[in-house]
């Protein structure tokens, strides 16, 4: 059963077709790779899904609901959470606080209960959830450090932690392995697998082909905003058009 | 009908004056990214200079204007060098600094002018231009309008026809790209604030014989400048000029028929309305067009 | 944001000393200085409520006018309905909060520079309405004869009881403001400030939280304005000009806006300073302006950051009981 459907999605920036009539579907529980040369429109696709951009035309349907006109926070509440291509954290907050922001949907507080301290239990549950996720991400020791003080690998892990705390059904991960060394990449791949095993559907944008091929069971390839090919890692590896697109891009 | 035409004429004169300081504010904001809250006080300093030199010391009007322009420009250049340049990374800091300058200039004006009521400068140009039998415009206003138009045309020429003007527009469009192209952004900032403040000095010189001069007259100036800037589109010079004229007509007409406070309230509401419809202003978005 | 410590001996001692100072001070002061002390107390609420608005990273220029909304509400409700202060103060807050709620729709479409200018315009329009509609708001001369409240037979025309009363009100408000900032709501506001898109990506409605901060900040500003008019007995549009707004800004910035207590330090220190340069009369604004510039250039984090700096220069780096940015 498909959890997300792209129907003829087009996104235009002035004269530039960042996405050109793209249609594909993603199944529940899948870990899908979305690849393509630089500027192919991968991040633009994520931003359209997560509501940060509005498609120029076409529709995006999530679990039977058209996402048209929905704000990013509403889409997050519906269960789609994206991570950002650039490392994006609340730099001046501690690791724990960063992750706690992710608990917003599940345990938001209103002013009255905040002032009167009426939601202690809920907040305690949120803290526990956060600690669980930090443990899962191997960040427990660093929980009181400022996000800006973390090494790159941990920053990436924290970005993922923020998303995970919000208990999404579907995660859009934009180049989570960028700038990592082999060891860090391996570690993150392991984490990504564990996330997927917990039942979260993942769409992964990544330039590290080894990682993508290793993680994903199915790939979608974009080039110049157009859907170029779809298939299993083996099919994509041997697809002439894909090879050409990547070589032509160099 | 006569009243209406007369108001239009007065509005046009006012529009030229509005445009002078609004354009300066836009230029400084566009190139340097700072909102110069002291811009109204610069106009005030220009007007005070006329009062001191022309009305008190007896210097002729035109040389007095020249001194006003130089003085205000020097203040502007000092502000850029001492305040805006060190705080360039933080636009809010630049704005706060300009508020500090605002206080200092007001106090200096109060010290120079002494206590007491607002000052007046007798119009150096007497007489009235009469057109179509009914339309009466004092020569002082005619002079003011002519000089404003001349200054704006020169500014346009400077920005579009000279190398410096080109550099200014490049920096306003994209500071980093301009820096990469080898444009000296410190120098363009100096030029921008120099030109912007010179226009404020000129505006002060032109308004001096037409208004009451006091240390707090900058307040109305900055309110007007904000309205004009927002309505015209932040960063758009031609937008600012057009908006200045339209707003002056609007303000003059409403003042005539409903009173000054209502006119200003309407202007402010208009400005908020414009911001709602298009948060970047009505006309254009960049100084570069 | 997680509150550390609880009650240590030092804290209790500090609290006791502070309380003693607050309670004894008015008895040591001249009449003029008692007045000043009351205004200082009220201004503490003004700056702290302003800080709540700025938590999301937006600086408004309408806060002074929001105090005015509170002040006019009190003046009107006392003059027309003779309401007691128990009603007028909350009413002042609610009125300012309501005005803020209405203004959210236009103003919060903008951010940064546009918000600053937009809030300035909206504030000035409201203020000019008080000037223009003489019948309701009394025009430039404002509303007079706002009767001093009498509570439990105590006449609040006398500064000392009124000081104690405003001290109580302001303290309660500060506790609420502090708790808001150090709750999940406050964390969300900080998060929006640092990275609004990231917060939105995990379901935070940034607009609503900006609105919340703006409305709550205005609510407490309204109460501050109400306290002021109840003491002064009159209100004019001139009390809430951009000039006063600039003072709020100066207090907050010179004190340091990164910490809850920064603006309080700012308003207290600058009020004392202002009093000490009283003899300079006409020069005072210039001295203020100069200080503002110097503090922006040389002390961008405000007075609040001085102890940490001193410790850094003379001691062993950061102190153990005060980790950096613990307030965030
Ligand atoms: N806000 C925008 N305005 C104008 N053009 C944009 C905008 N965002 C993206 N683009 C353009 O759209 C195209 C696709 O960009 P996108 O960021 O989606 O590529 P990508 O596939 O994520 O590339 P990369 O692998 O480098 O991250 C690019 O040509 C880019 O310049
Ligand atoms: Mg990308």
């Amino acid at each position: 059963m498909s959890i997300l459907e792209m129907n003829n999605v087009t996104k235009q920036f002035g004269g530039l077709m960042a996405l050109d009539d793209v249609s594909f579907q993603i199944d529940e529980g899948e870990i899908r790779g979305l690849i393509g040369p630089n500027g192919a429109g991968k991040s633009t696709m994520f931003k359209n899904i997560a509501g940060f951009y509005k498609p120029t035309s076409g529709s995006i349907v999530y679990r039977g609901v058209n996402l048209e006109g929905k704000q990013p926070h509403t889409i997050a509440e519906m269960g789609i959470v994206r991570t950002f291509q650039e490392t994006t954290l609340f730099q001046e907050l501690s690791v724990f606080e960063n992750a706690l922001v992710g608990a917003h949907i599940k345990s938001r507080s209103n002013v009255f209960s905040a002032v009167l301290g009426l939601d202690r239990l809920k907040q305690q549950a949120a803290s526990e959830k956060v600690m669980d996720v930090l443990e899962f991400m191997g960040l427990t020791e660093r929980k009181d450090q400022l996000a800006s003080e973390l090494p790159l690998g941990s920053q990436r892990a924290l970005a993922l932690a923020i998303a995970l705390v919000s208990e999404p059904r579907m995660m859009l991960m934009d180049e989570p392995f960028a700038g990592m060394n082999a060891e860090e990449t391996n570690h993150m791949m392991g984490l990504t697998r564990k996330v997927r095993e917990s039942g979260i559907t993942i769409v992964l944008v990544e330039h590290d082909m080894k990682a993508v091929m290793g993680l994903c069971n199915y790939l979608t390839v974009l080039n110049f905003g157009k859907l170029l090919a779809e298939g299993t890692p083996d099919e994509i590896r041997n697809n002439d058009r894909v090879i050409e697109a990547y070589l032509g891009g160099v | 009908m006569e009243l209406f035409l007369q108001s239009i004429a007065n509005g046009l004169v006012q529009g030229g004056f509005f445009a002078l300081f609004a354009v300066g504010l836009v230029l400084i904001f566009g190139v340097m990214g700072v909102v110069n809250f002291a811009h109204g006080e610069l106009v005030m300093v220009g007007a005070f200079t006329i009062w001191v030199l022309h009305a008190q010391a007896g210097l002729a009007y035109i040389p007095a204007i020249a001194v006003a322009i130089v003085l205000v420009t020097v203040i502007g250049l000092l502000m850029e060098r001492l305040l805006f340049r060190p705080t360039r990374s933080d636009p809010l800091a630049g704005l706060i600094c300009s508020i500090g300058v605002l206080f200092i200039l007001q106090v200096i004006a109060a010290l120079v002018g002494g206590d007491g009521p607002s000052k007046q400068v007798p119009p150096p140009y007497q007489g009235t231009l009469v057109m179509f039998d009914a339309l009466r415009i004092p020569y002082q206003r005619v002079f003011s309008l002519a000089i404003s138009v001349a200054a704006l045309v020169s500014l346009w020429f400077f920005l579009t026809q000279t190398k410096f003007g080109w550099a200014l527009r490049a920096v306003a469009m994209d500071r980093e790209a301009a820096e990469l192209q080898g444009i000296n952004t410190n120098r363009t900032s100096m030029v921008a604030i120099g030109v912007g403040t010179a226009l404020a000095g000129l505006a002060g010189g032109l308004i001096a014989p037409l208004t009451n001069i006091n240390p707090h007259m900058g307040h109305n100036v900055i309110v007007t400048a904000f309205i004009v800037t927002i309505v015209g589109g932040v960063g758009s010079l031609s937008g600012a000029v057009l908006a200045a004229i339209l707003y002056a007509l609007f303000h003059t007409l409403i003042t005539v028929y409903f009173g000054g406070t209502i006119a200003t309230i309407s202007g402010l509401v208009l400005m908020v309305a414009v911001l709602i419809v298009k948060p970047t202003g009505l006309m254009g978005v960049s100084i570069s067009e | 944001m997680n509150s550390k410590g609880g009650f240590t001996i030092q804290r209790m001692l500090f609290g006791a000393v502070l309380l003693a100072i607050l309670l004894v001070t008015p008895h040591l002061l001249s009449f003029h200085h008692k007045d000043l002390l009351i205004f200082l107390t009220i201004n503490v609420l003004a700056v702290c409520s302003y800080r709540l608005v700025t938590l999301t990273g937006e600086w408004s220029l309408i806060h002074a006018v929001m105090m005015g909304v509170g002040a006019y509400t009190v003046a009107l409700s006392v003059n027309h309905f003779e309401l007691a202060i128990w009603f007028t103060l909350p009413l002042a807050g609610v009125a300012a909060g309501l005005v803020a709620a209405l203004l959210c729709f236009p103003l919060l479409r903008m951010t940064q520079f546009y918000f600053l200018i937009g809030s300035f315009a909206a504030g000035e329009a409201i203020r000019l309405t008080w000037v223009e509609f003489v019948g309701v708001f009394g025009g430039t001369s404002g509303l007079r004869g706002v009767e001093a409240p009498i509570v439990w037979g105590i006449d609040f025309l006398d500064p000392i009881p009124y000081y104690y009363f405003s001290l109580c009100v302001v303290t309660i408000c500060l506790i609420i403001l502090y708790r808001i900032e150090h709750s999940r709501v406050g964390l969300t506001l900080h998060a929006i400030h640092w990275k609004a898109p990231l917060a939105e990506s995990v379901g935070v409605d940034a607009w609503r939280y900006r609105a919340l901060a703006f409305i709550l900040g205005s609510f407490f500003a309204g109460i501050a304005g109400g306290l002021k008019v109840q003491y002064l007995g009159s209100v004019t549009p001139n009390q809430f000009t951009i000039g006063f707004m600039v003072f709020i800004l100066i207090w907050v910035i010179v004190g340091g806006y990164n910490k809850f207590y920064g603006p309080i330090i700012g308003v207290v220190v600058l009020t004392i300073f202002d009093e000490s340069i009283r003899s300079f009369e006409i020069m005072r604004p210039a001295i203020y302006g100069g200080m503002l510039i110097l503090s922006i250039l040389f002390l961008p984090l405000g007075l609040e950051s001085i102890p940490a700096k001193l410790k850094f220069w003379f001691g062993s780096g950061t102190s153990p009981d005060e980790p950096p940015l613990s307030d965030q």
Side-chain angles (χ1 to χ4, degrees), chain A residues 13 16 18 37-44 53 85 175 207:
Chain A
F13 292 114
L16 178 88
N38 289 109
K42 306 176 298 289
S43 297
T44 305
Y53 292 162
Q85 178 165 352
E175 306 198 15
H207 285 293

Side-chain angles (χ1 to χ4, degrees), chain B residues 178-229:
Chain B
E179 255 164 11
L180 286 179
Q181 285 187 36
I183 293 176
N184 181 339
T185 50
N186 281 339
R187 197 155 54 179
T188 48
S189 292
M190 292 298 263
V191 174
I193 199 157
V195 172
T197 51
L199 291 173
L202 175 62
L206 294 178
I207 198 71
L210 301 171
T211 190
N212 291 324
I213 302 171
N214 64 63
H216 301 284
M217 64 186 278
H219 178 69
N220 281 336
V221 172
I222 197 77
V223 172
T224 307
F226 281 154
I227 296 176
V228 166
T229 315

Side-chain angles (χ1 to χ4, degrees), chain B:
Chain B
M1 194 59 197
E2 246 170 56
L3 184 62
F4 182 76
L5 282 180
Q6 185 67 50
S7 311
I8 298 271
N10 292 345
L12 279 178
V13 174
Q14 193 116 64
F17 168 66
F18 285 2
L20 281 186
F21 56 75
V23 157
L25 193 74
V26 170
L27 197 64
I28 294 169
F29 179 71
V31 175
M32 303 167 48
V34 249
V35 185
N36 180 19
F37 245 83
H39 211 66
E41 274 57 36
L42 294 176
V43 173
M44 180 272 293
V45 169
F48 253 89
T49 312
I50 303 298
W51 177 73
V52 171
L53 293 180
H54 177 65
Q56 300 299 113
L59 186 68
Y61 182 48
I62 305 278
I65 291 185
V67 176
I69 293 176
V70 172
L71 177 65
V72 172
T73 310
V74 168
I75 296 174
L77 293 177
L78 286 175
M79 283 168 74
E80 146 65 14
R81 196 65 197 80
L82 300 178
L83 305 179
F84 297 152
R85 197 177 294 180
T87 57
R88 186 160 291 155
S89 54
D90 180 359
L92 184 68
L95 185 149
I96 305 287
C97 281
S98 74
I99 292 178
V101 173
L102 175 159
F103 278 120
I104 295 174
L105 292 179
Q106 282 185 355
V107 166
I108 293 176
L111 289 176
V112 169
D115 281 341
S118 296
K119 324 287 178 225
Q120 261 111 21
V121 173
Y125 302 101
Q126 301 293 338
T128 301
L129 177 73
V130 182
M131 285 197 307
F132 317 118
D133 289 341
L135 207 54
R136 310 171 62 82
I137 316 173
Y139 280 120
Q140 187 61 47
R141 287 176 188 267
V142 177
F143 173 79
S144 171
L145 180 62
I147 298 289
S148 307
V149 172
L152 291 172
V153 170
S154 326
L155 175 69
W156 176 84
F157 186 83
F158 168 73
L159 284 177
T160 54
Q161 310 292 319
T162 67
K163 204 166 145 261
F164 250 135
W166 174 82
L168 277 190
R169 285 160 51 208
V171 176
M173 214 166 14
D174 186 341
R175 182 170 205 104
E176 274 161 37
E179 255 164 11
L180 286 179
Q181 285 187 36
I183 293 176
N184 181 339
T185 50
N186 281 339
R187 197 155 54 179
T188 48
S189 292
M190 292 298 263
V191 174
I193 199 157
V195 172
T197 51
L199 291 173
L202 175 62
L206 294 178
I207 198 71
L210 301 171
T211 190
N212 291 324
I213 302 171
N214 64 63
H216 301 284
M217 64 186 278
H219 178 69
N220 281 336
V221 172
I222 197 77
V223 172
T224 307
F226 281 154
I227 296 176
V228 166
T229 315
I230 295 287
V231 174
V234 180
S236 162
L237 287 175
S238 49
V241 173
L242 193 57
I245 295 165
L246 291 179
Y247 178 66
L249 293 173
F250 171 88
H251 195 270
T252 315
L253 284 175
I254 298 197
T255 304
V256 167
Y257 292 104
F258 301 99
T261 311
I262 293 276
T264 306
I265 295 178
S266 320
L268 292 163
V269 171
L270 177 76
M271 167 173 160
V272 174
V274 167
L275 284 169
I276 297 171
V277 178
K278 199 169 167 228
T280 46
L282 267 193
M283 296 163 252
V285 275
S286 101
I287 191 175
S288 50
E289 15 105 65

Side-chain angles (χ1 to χ4, degrees), chain C residues 175-193:
Chain C
I175 291 172
I176 297 175
L177 283 166
Y178 184 88
R179 293 203 56 128
I180 292 176
E181 182 178 343
H182 292 251
S183 72
R184 282 294 293 286
V185 176
L187 178 68
T188 310
L189 295 176
H190 279 294
I192 291 169
H193 178 188

